[in-house]
Amino acid sequence: MRTDVWQALHKDLDHGVQEDQETYAVPFEGHSILLPIRALSDGKRGVASFILNQASFWVVDAVADTLAQKLAPYQPDIIVGVPTLGLPLAEAVARRLGHTRIVPLSTSRKFWYDERLSVNMSSITSPEKEKRLYLDPRMIPLLTGQVAVIDDVLSSGSSIASTLGLLHLQQVEPVVIGTAMLQGTAWRSRVSQCPVEGAFATPILHKTDAGWAAQ
């Protein structure tokens, strides 16, 4: 198994599924990022995976730079980070936008949390593990003005739908959702009319006699 995925920005890779049938080169800012292909549970579909905290700092910085540029026109006053890997990305983008903090959501319940400030949450990478998504009551006063939400990947849209539902409990409607990777299109039905900005996008893959192919 390759260990050099999401470590560099490549200039010499053809975009799409690679000859090894294990990796996918996604276009990014005139270069490519090499991603591993993960088969989904049905064995017939696959996704190009991006794990932010396993990527090189160089790649993470480049993604954060791009996403910050895309979110800047929305002039967010505060950024909400979605656990788990949306949190470091949210912090990196917030720093680039001149913010001094973020509002981190959590799947770990602290004793002072209010169960009424939580919703169910699941994701494509751990569909069998339904969790609770919490908003720390102490963060509520920060949810004013233009609110942006950042997650690492939008795929099925279940995580972002939970996030939007949780914020709706506080009558907060984000002005934009930002993400490192937009994976497929299923997420579109879960974001309502909220604008979405991604650093890069990948398709859902399907297994054919010739190997993996984009939908």
Side-chain angles (χ1 to χ4, degrees):
M1 182 175 295
R2 298 187 65 159
T3 60
D4 61 341
V5 292
W6 50 64
Q7 297 303 306
L9 301 181
H10 300 273
K11 290 185 177 180
D12 55 349
L13 292 179
D14 292 332
H15 298 156
V17 178
Q18 301 299 287
E19 290 184 4
D20 60 14
Q21 285 291 306
E22 294 181 357
T23 52
Y24 184 97
V26 60
F28 175 71
E29 300 293 344
H31 296 76
S32 298
I33 301 176
L34 191 64
L35 306 176
I37 296 174
R38 310 291 193 197
L40 297 180
S41 58
D42 60 15
K44 299 177 181 179
R45 296 175 301 145
V47 294
S49 173
F50 181 66
I51 308 298
L52 188 89
N53 64 354
Q54 295 181 14
S56 70
F57 298 148
W58 185 26
V59 168
V60 173
D61 285 345
V63 169
D65 288 344
T66 294
L67 193 54
Q69 292 170 8
K70 291 187 174 185
L71 296 194
Y74 297 91
Q75 299 182 312
D77 297 301
I78 191 71
I79 288 177
V80 175
V82 182
T84 302
L85 296 182
L87 296 176
L89 181 60
E91 179 182 340
V93 171
R95 288 177 181 273
R96 285 161 173 77
L97 293 177
H99 294 194
T100 59
R101 68 186 303 173
I102 66 171
V103 170
L105 303 182
S106 176
T107 54
S108 175
R109 191 185 190 286
K110 309 304 181 185
F111 70 83
W112 63 87
Y113 284 6
D114 186 338
E115 199 69 24
R116 292 172 296 180
L117 293 177
S118 70
V119 294
N120 287 331
M121 181 185 189
S122 62
S123 70
I124 191 172
T125 53
S126 55
E128 74 288 350
K129 294 182 179 179
E130 189 168 272
K131 301 166 284 191
R132 298 291 291 179
L133 181 66
Y134 293 93
L135 170 63
D136 189 328
R138 300 182 184 188
M139 297 289 102
I140 292 175
L142 300 177
L143 295 174
T144 60
Q146 304 274 82
V147 176
V149 173
I150 290 184
D151 202 355
D152 61 323
V153 176
L154 262 63
S155 186
S156 68
S158 58
S159 293
I160 201 64
S162 296
T163 301
L164 295 178
L166 181 58
L167 293 176
H168 186 71
L169 295 177
Q170 294 301 310
Q171 292 77 51
V172 173
E173 303 297 334
V175 296
V176 65
I177 296 166
T179 186
M181 179 169 69
L182 296 169
Q183 191 176 70
T185 60
W187 55 268
R188 290 179 178 171
S189 64
R190 312 296 292 273
V191 299
S192 186
Q193 301 301 311
C194 187
V196 175
E197 300 287 351
F200 56 88
T202 59
I204 300 299
L205 304 175
H206 289 263
K207 196 74 168 179
T208 70
D209 291 341
W212 291 110
Q215 185 174 11

